[in-house]
Amino acid sequence: MQLKTSQIQMSESFWTITFLTLSGAYQDAYSYFARGKVFANAQTGNIVLMAAKLVDGDFSGLVHYLFPILSFAAGIAVAEKFHRRFRHSGFHWRQSILLIEIALLLVTPWIGYDPFANCLVSFACALQVQTFRKVHGYPFASTMCIGNLRSMMDQLVQSFSEGGRGHRAIAFSYFRVLLTFFIGAGIGKAACDLWGDYAIYGSCLLLIASLMFMFYDPQILDKERIREIDETAL
């Protein structure tokens, strides 16, 4: 099995994805620890908590989790419409989505009401997860872990039957994404402890770094990526 090394876009390069993943985990930590224990990205968790509030008869608590879910869904729809409108126009639509996401997050600390702030962050997260869906040419998520964990184990198991080195390299790429998410969540928690509502500015800095990588020469990053995979493949 061969890695999909041809026609890699900058949005799929590992260094672009690294900062996106750090930011995605950071945003979840921010919304949970600084904004009333709501997940900006992990909507599964919000649905479970919303169901618990319903069972307890806490309808105000139910709404507390419902609005971020709806905002996330709206963000997915907007990102997809944006994609369909500009994907063949030569317009740098992914970079534009990142700029929109950064702008939304910059406003967040000035919103004193947590439910509104969480809706804004969830909407921004959805723009990101719908726009950036591949790493090294393979499906991944920069804002959640379950799909990446499943893909990592799937590739690892396949490595013992056929094309071992290729599958192990892909599994290792997913492992790096998972580790990056773990680190981003830790950084986000520490930032929330220090700066509270304003901690989200750290996520903006990570997104700016990712945006800068997207304008680098793709051939240079592709060669660097291939070399790193060859050196670290199990």
Side-chain angles (χ1 to χ4, degrees), residues 76-87 89 91-97 100 127 131:
I76 294 293
V78 169
E80 183 57 24
K81 291 290 289 184
F82 206 90
H83 174 216
R84 290 173 182 268
R85 171 65 179 82
F86 294 110
R87 61 179 171 178
S89 66
F91 179 68
H92 294 296
W93 71 276
R94 287 189 174 90
Q95 289 90 331
S96 298
I97 287 288
I100 294 171
L127 294 178
T131 302

Side-chain angles (χ1 to χ4, degrees), residues 30-39 46 49 64-65 118:
Y30 174 78
S31 63
Y32 190 84
F33 294 112
R35 291 291 192 166
K37 298 190 182 302
V38 171
F39 293 106
N46 288 337
L49 294 170
H64 184 69
Y65 294 104
N118 286 329

Side-chain angles (χ1 to χ4, degrees), residues 1 155 158-170 234:
M1 178 181 175
Q155 293 293 332
Q158 290 188 60
S159 72
F160 293 105
S161 58
E162 57 179 62
R165 185 177 178 83
H167 285 292
R168 284 196 297 271
I170 299 168
L234 299 177

Side-chain angles (χ1 to χ4, degrees), residues 3 12-22 25 135-136 140-142 144-145 148-149 151-153 168-185 213 221-234:
L3 287 175
E12 300 175 19
S13 69
F14 186 79
W15 293 106
T16 300
I17 294 308
T18 293
F19 287 100
L20 285 175
T21 304
L22 286 171
V135 58
H136 296 171
F140 100 112
S142 64
M144 56 196 73
C145 292
N148 297 332
L149 181 59
S151 296
M152 181 187 74
M153 295 310 300
R168 284 196 297 271
I170 299 168
F172 185 70
S173 292
Y174 281 115
F175 171 76
R176 291 172 72 181
V177 171
L178 289 167
L179 180 60
T180 300
F181 192 94
F182 176 83
I183 293 170
F213 271 108
L221 284 183
D222 190 45
K223 291 178 181 178
E224 182 179 16
R225 178 183 59 78
I226 294 170
R227 184 178 66 251
E228 288 177 351
I229 292 176
D230 287 340
E231 291 174 352
T232 56
L234 299 177

